[in-house]
């Protein structure tokens, strides 16, 4: 089953994007595993399929490199907004995108006719334990709460951006072992849908350094929903302003927690190449 695809990234978080309006794929989960393989496939953190929508301009479905489907994503949203504009599927610079976690609104911002950045209204953060989801008292928030894993203490703050995030503040990020702690928390049984894990070092109230262990993908260069969740967690813990830079391995995102309680994420999106998967 042949299909055309485009290869995109948002700060090194890379995706195979398929225009499902014209290209047919039978089994998305299986194809995600195949096409994301960095040796036997194209190589990517995820497969993203553009589809028609009854409630928005377009719909997108996001599959991690392990085949699992995610409800929401940040870096892909910026890539998709540019993809539909550059490929003439729309002339709109501000679109609505249906995801499993609701509608998000990316906008292409130009300066003197040149694309400057892509700003996305990511919706409202969800803070109740049942919304993460996390086991325990449904309506409680999870802020700087103790989680013991294999006799080690971790203080966690949990935020859903439509997909689940667990944030840990650390003193020394460079010497924090994501490959050991990440999967232990991702798969901890207190998180019924597993969880993305962000490790954050506070540089100042306007700058947060973050590395991420993604659910269903492992260490990636950047995570947009993770950066949004990180800013929310930092504000809830009193260590950041509502507008701050989140510095990731792949570059910087500007994140704002608006007074309308919506999270706004601004950053780039880059197309690398196009091809046909045979
Ligand atoms: O929630 C999840 O399973 C994530 N691994 C989905 C991918 C999130 C993404 N990296 C982002 O930028 O938010 C695309």
């Amino acid at each position: 089953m042949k299909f055309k695809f485009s290869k995109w990234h948002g700060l090194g978080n890379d995706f195979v994007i398929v225009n499902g309006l014209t290209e047919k794929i039978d089994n998305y989960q299986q194809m995600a595993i195949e096409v994301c393989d960095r040796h036997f496939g194209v190589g990517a953190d995820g497969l993203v399929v553009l589809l028609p929508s009854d409630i928005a301009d377009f719909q997108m479905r996001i599959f991690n490199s392990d085949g699992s489907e995610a409800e929401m994503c940040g870096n892909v949203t910026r890539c998709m907004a540019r993809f539909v504009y550059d490929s003439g599927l729309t002339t709109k610079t501000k679109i609505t995108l249906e995801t499993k976690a609701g509608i998000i609104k990316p906008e292409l911002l130009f300066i003197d006719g040149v694309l400057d950045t892509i700003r996305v209204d990511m919706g409202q953060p969800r803070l109740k334990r049942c919304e993460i989801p996390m086991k325990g008292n449904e309506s409680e928030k999870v802020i700087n709460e103790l989680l013991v894993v294999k006799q080690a203490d971790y203080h966690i703050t949990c935020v859903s951006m439509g997909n689940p995030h667990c944030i840990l503040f650390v003193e020394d990020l460079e010497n924090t072992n994501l490959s050991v702690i990440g999967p232990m928390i991702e798969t901890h049984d207190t998180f019924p849908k597993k969880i993305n894990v962000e490790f954050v070092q506070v540089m100042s109230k306007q700058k947060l350094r973050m590395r991420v262990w993604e659910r269903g993908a492992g260490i990636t260069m950047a995570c947009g929903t993770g950066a949004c969740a990180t800013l929310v967690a930092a504000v809830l813990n009193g260590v950041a302003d509502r507008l701050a830079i989140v510095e990731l391995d792949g570059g910087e995102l500007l994140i704002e927690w608006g007074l309308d309680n919506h999270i706004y994420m601004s950053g780039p999106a880059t197309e690398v190449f196009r091809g046909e998967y045979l």
Side-chain angles (χ1 to χ4, degrees):
M1 164 201 16
K2 285 185 181 178
F3 58 87
K4 292 190 182 60
F5 69 88
S6 300
K7 182 72 190 303
W8 286 75
H9 76 84
L11 300 178
N13 188 201
D14 56 350
F15 311 97
V16 168
I17 293 184
V18 175
N19 178 355
L21 307 178
T22 56
E23 309 297 315
K24 292 294 160 252
I25 294 177
D26 297 341
N27 179 330
Y28 293 140
Q29 287 80 359
Q30 186 48 44
M31 184 49 71
I33 296 169
E34 261 186 51
V35 84
C36 290
D37 188 296
R38 294 197 184 276
H39 304 287
F40 297 100
V42 176
D45 295 321
L47 166 70
V48 183
V49 184
L50 179 75
L51 295 164
S53 170
D54 302 330
I55 57 171
D57 294 312
F58 300 97
Q59 176 194 170
M60 64 179 180
R61 292 185 64 183
I62 309 120
F63 299 89
N64 289 308
S65 53
D66 73 347
S68 60
E69 184 164 8
E71 309 87 344
M72 173 60 164
C73 69
N75 290 324
V76 169
T77 306
R78 301 194 314 275
C79 296
M80 196 56 90
R82 220 181 147 182
F83 174 77
V84 293
Y85 185 81
D86 291 356
S87 42
L89 289 168
T90 184
T91 55
K92 290 182 179 178
T93 56
K94 185 168 184 174
I95 62 168
T96 55
L97 272 175
E98 177 190 353
T99 71
K100 280 197 168 326
I103 293 183
I104 39 184
K105 302 173 184 152
E107 181 172 9
L108 307 178
L109 300 176
F110 295 84
I111 295 179
D112 303 332
V114 178
L115 181 65
D116 174 54
T117 191
I118 301 146
R119 185 171 190 264
V120 186
D121 174 353
M122 297 286 284
Q124 305 194 34
R126 306 159 198 189
L127 302 175
K128 292 196 192 114
R129 203 182 275 270
C130 60
E131 295 172 316
I132 304 298
M134 183 175 177
K135 291 182 182 166
N137 176 333
E138 297 236 323
S139 58
E140 253 178 14
K141 293 180 182 168
V142 184
I143 302 173
N144 196 27
E145 183 175 303
L146 178 62
L147 180 73
V148 181
V149 187
K150 297 213 169 92
Q151 288 90 46
D153 290 357
Y154 298 97
H155 285 83
I156 63 168
T157 299
C158 293
V159 175
S160 170
M161 288 304 299
N163 60 345
H165 296 273
C166 177
I167 298 94
L168 290 83
F169 294 96
V170 299
E171 296 299 316
D172 180 2
L173 186 53
E174 294 323 309
N175 293 305
T176 301
N177 195 332
L178 272 65
S179 303
V180 171
I181 307 168
M184 278 198 311
I185 296 182
E186 174 199 3
T187 59
H188 193 280
D189 65 11
T190 195
F191 303 117
K193 290 193 174 169
K194 302 204 275 186
I195 200 159
N196 298 285
V197 189
E198 285 81 20
F199 299 82
V200 182
Q201 185 168 343
V202 178
M203 312 312 278
S204 75
K205 285 217 158 194
Q206 296 82 33
K207 180 126 189 207
L208 304 165
R209 175 79 179 90
M210 187 266 272
R211 300 195 68 215
V212 61
W213 174 271
E214 280 201 42
R215 174 183 67 169
I219 294 176
T220 62
M221 300 284 289
C223 182
T225 47
C228 296
T230 292
L231 188 270
V232 170
V235 171
L236 292 172
N237 283 278
V239 296
D241 296 340
R242 294 175 76 96
L243 174 69
I245 294 276
V246 177
E247 184 194 335
L248 301 121
D249 292 356
E252 297 185 348
L253 289 172
L254 179 66
I255 311 290
E256 181 187 2
W257 190 352
L259 297 176
D260 58 1
N261 196 35
H262 283 231
I263 307 294
Y264 296 92
M265 170 192 67
S266 301
T270 309
E271 182 174 21
V272 185
F273 64 86
R274 297 172 191 174
E276 187 169 29
Y277 191 76
L278 305 176

